[in-house]
Amino acid sequence: MDAIGRAHAPYSPRRWWAGPLDVEGLALYSVAAAAGALNRYAVAPGRFSTTSALAGAAFDSFGHLRIAGRRPQGFAPLSGFRRTRDGWIRLHANYPHHEQRLLQALGASSAAGAEEALLSMSSRDAEAAIQGRSGIAAAVRTRGDWQESAMGQAARQGPWIALESAVGAPSGLGLEDLAAGGSAGPGAGAAPGTGAGRGGGTGLPADGPPLRGLRVLDLTRVIAGPVATRLLGALGADVLRIDPPQFPEIEDQFVDTAFGKRSVEADLTVPENQARLQQLLAAADVVVTGYRHGALDRFGLNPRDLLAAHPTLVVVTLNSWGSAGPWSHLRGFDSIVQAACGIADLYGAENDDGGWRPGALPVQALDHATGYGVAAAAVRLLELRRQTGTGGAAHLSLARTAEELFSLPPNTESPAELPPPAYGSVSSSYGELRYVGPPLMEAGRPLDYLFPPPPYGGSQPAWL
């Protein structure tokens, strides 16, 4: 039995990061959710599974990556924790446009000027000022403060994965339900081949990757959404990612999450690109979006609008703060959610100078766990579509994933080291890449990516 009292495959070691929260459980159960969904979809119990070594390495894929021998660049200098007059705040300035907005909000022209301005402000006032200029920041809150806030109360509402289909009432799936292989509605164990995919398939492939022939439109950025679609690509789907040319993705981040995909740059405000988008949607099987709540509605990408126009489509959305509450319209990142919801406070520690400083999870676990939840949701909805002929929608958020993490029982096992990862190596347009593969075993063998990251924006906006 594992920490949730159910008979999973044994995970050993079960604890390796050894912090106050069961981040290992979050990693293992979110990946197990994707594996379980795939086993149901493939009608092959036990075909897909995970291990501690695979899950632990995949959750730190950016840390393991080497691009032409160099480490990828992490957080920008202005990102991170900063002191305020009454406490701490977490800033995010990895993207140039976010850095500009942050500096403008603080009336500063440099990181030193921003730090000086923050020392004269309370954490909440600084947070409000930065958010008011569409910058990204969160005051470091205690867990209790977050739970009492309207934002925290909204984050706790509903299940980890909120599902909506045309053939039933809205439902949901929790992390523990998925990890234990619980039922997600009708169709468990149904025969394959009942219902053609929009991507030209006639049910499941007779052999090879289980998602071969399916088309996934990837409208996500940063980590969580790209992690989800990276896994779908490794499972055989044709994944086409679209990015806005005016806000290019950070290159190293793209390299980490773009294995097995194709990449397009397209300004969706241009009518010609709108027409191409509609052509892509007409033949897509899955759409995954990863922007703040409502940001893509003007392009007809609201899930209900998409399903009204394309009833067999599977739509999965994710964002930072959820679809309700006073922060639902705000941008956010894993590190910002950690600061707001009480994780940074819980992981805080004494400095060398005797002062206290907030801390962080050992990896971007909210991002990665949400990503594998998105993949699980997409596959579950594909399974349901095979039974009913209709699509559906699912939604996840980083803030809701944080609630799942806090709900896991404490892990009291003694920590142990993971075995060294089995690195892959592949040539790419970025140079030789050292990487870790997906966190799944297929029939007892580690899954691998089908091809390296493509040149950014170098693909045509068309399906294969």
Side-chain angles (χ1 to χ4, degrees), residues 129-141:
I130 294 167
Q131 292 175 351
R133 287 293 190 101
S134 298
I136 301 174
V140 174
R141 288 170 169 79

Side-chain angles (χ1 to χ4, degrees), residues 145-167:
D145 285 345
W146 177 248
Q147 290 177 309
E148 292 173 3
S149 71
M151 299 84 71
Q153 291 169 19
R156 292 199 302 277
Q157 298 304 308
W160 183 45
I161 299 176
L163 294 171
E164 186 174 342
S165 74
V167 296

Side-chain angles (χ1 to χ4, degrees), residues 256-279:
D256 178 42
T257 57
F259 285 85
K261 304 181 187 182
R262 295 181 297 124
S263 169
V264 172
E265 280 190 299
D267 182 352
L268 296 184
T269 64
V270 175
E272 180 183 357
N273 291 335
Q274 268 284 330
R276 288 178 177 171
L277 175 65
Q278 294 307 315
Q279 292 172 354

Side-chain angles (χ1 to χ4, degrees), residues 6-25:
R6 295 175 176 147
H8 295 179
Y11 297 120
S12 180
R14 180 56 181 79
R15 190 175 187 222
W16 56 89
W17 287 313
L21 296 174
D22 188 14
V23 185
E24 296 88 344

Side-chain angles (χ1 to χ4, degrees), residues 3-404:
I4 61 173
R6 295 175 176 147
H8 295 179
Y11 297 120
S12 180
R14 180 56 181 79
R15 190 175 187 222
W16 56 89
W17 287 313
L21 296 174
D22 188 14
V23 185
E24 296 88 344
L26 182 68
L28 290 166
Y29 299 155
S30 60
V31 175
L38 284 162
N39 290 334
R40 288 168 57 103
Y41 181 76
V43 198
R47 175 177 170 182
F48 291 95
S49 61
T50 192
T51 67
S52 296
L54 289 175
F59 266 58
D60 193 22
S61 61
F62 191 79
H64 289 294
L65 180 68
R66 296 294 181 271
I67 306 171
R70 67 170 179 84
R71 292 176 179 270
Q73 180 181 342
F75 285 104
L78 190 53
S79 296
F81 295 110
R82 296 294 190 278
R83 290 185 183 274
T84 63
R85 189 181 68 221
D86 63 350
W88 291 86
I89 192 169
R90 178 97 195 203
L91 311 177
H92 200 287
N94 285 10
Y95 292 87
H97 58 292
H98 291 160
E99 180 183 36
Q100 270 187 346
R101 294 168 187 171
L102 193 155
L103 290 172
Q104 289 170 358
L106 298 175
S109 59
S110 65
E115 292 177 356
E116 184 177 355
L118 287 168
L119 289 172
S120 68
M121 306 171 73
S122 72
S123 297
R124 303 292 179 89
D125 286 346
E127 173 188 87
I130 294 167
Q131 292 175 351
R133 287 293 190 101
S134 298
I136 301 174
V140 174
R141 288 170 169 79
T142 66
R143 179 65 180 158
D145 285 345
W146 177 248
Q147 290 177 309
E148 292 173 3
S149 71
M151 299 84 71
Q153 291 169 19
R156 292 199 302 277
Q157 298 304 308
W160 183 45
I161 299 176
L163 294 171
E164 186 174 342
S165 74
V167 296
S171 60
L173 298 166
L175 177 68
E176 297 178 5
D177 301 324
L178 282 160
S183 174
T194 56
R198 296 174 69 185
T202 54
L204 293 175
D207 54 23
L211 302 188
R212 187 177 61 194
L214 296 178
R215 294 166 168 171
V216 177
L217 189 61
D218 180 0
L219 299 168
T220 71
R221 291 168 64 80
V222 198
I223 300 175
V227 161
T229 51
R230 180 179 67 181
L231 181 61
L232 299 180
L235 295 162
D238 177 19
V239 178
L240 185 65
R241 172 171 166 166
I242 300 179
D243 282 278
Q246 58 271 40
F247 299 119
E249 182 59 281
I250 299 168
E251 182 175 284
D252 289 1
Q253 200 161 261
F254 175 80
V255 172
D256 178 42
T257 57
F259 285 85
K261 304 181 187 182
R262 295 181 297 124
S263 169
V264 172
E265 280 190 299
D267 182 352
L268 296 184
T269 64
V270 175
E272 180 183 357
N273 291 335
Q274 268 284 330
R276 288 178 177 171
L277 175 65
Q278 294 307 315
Q279 292 172 354
L280 292 170
L281 289 170
D285 294 285
V286 179
V287 175
V288 184
T289 71
Y291 290 73
R292 59 192 171 88
H293 178 62
L296 299 180
D297 289 1
R298 60 191 171 125
F299 303 121
L301 294 170
N302 178 282
R304 292 187 178 180
D305 293 340
L306 284 172
L307 289 172
H310 310 283
T312 61
L313 195 60
V314 165
V315 183
V316 187
T317 63
L318 68 127
N319 56 36
S320 291
W321 306 110
S323 56
W327 281 12
S328 61
H329 65 290
L330 295 181
R331 299 165 179 85
F333 294 89
D334 180 308
S335 59
I336 300 300
V337 175
Q338 288 189 44
C341 75
I343 291 174
D345 179 73
L346 182 62
Y347 277 73
E350 297 295 321
N351 275 334
D352 293 338
D353 61 5
W356 181 88
R357 182 181 179 84
L361 297 178
V363 291
Q364 302 266 32
L366 305 183
D367 268 328
H368 284 267
T370 303
Y372 293 115
V374 167
V379 175
R380 283 292 183 113
L381 288 170
L382 286 168
E383 179 202 357
L384 184 60
R385 185 181 78 169
R386 194 174 67 220
Q387 310 309 314
T388 66
T390 62
H395 178 70
L396 297 89
S397 73
L398 302 186
R400 187 64 186 79
T401 297
E403 296 303 313
E404 293 292 316

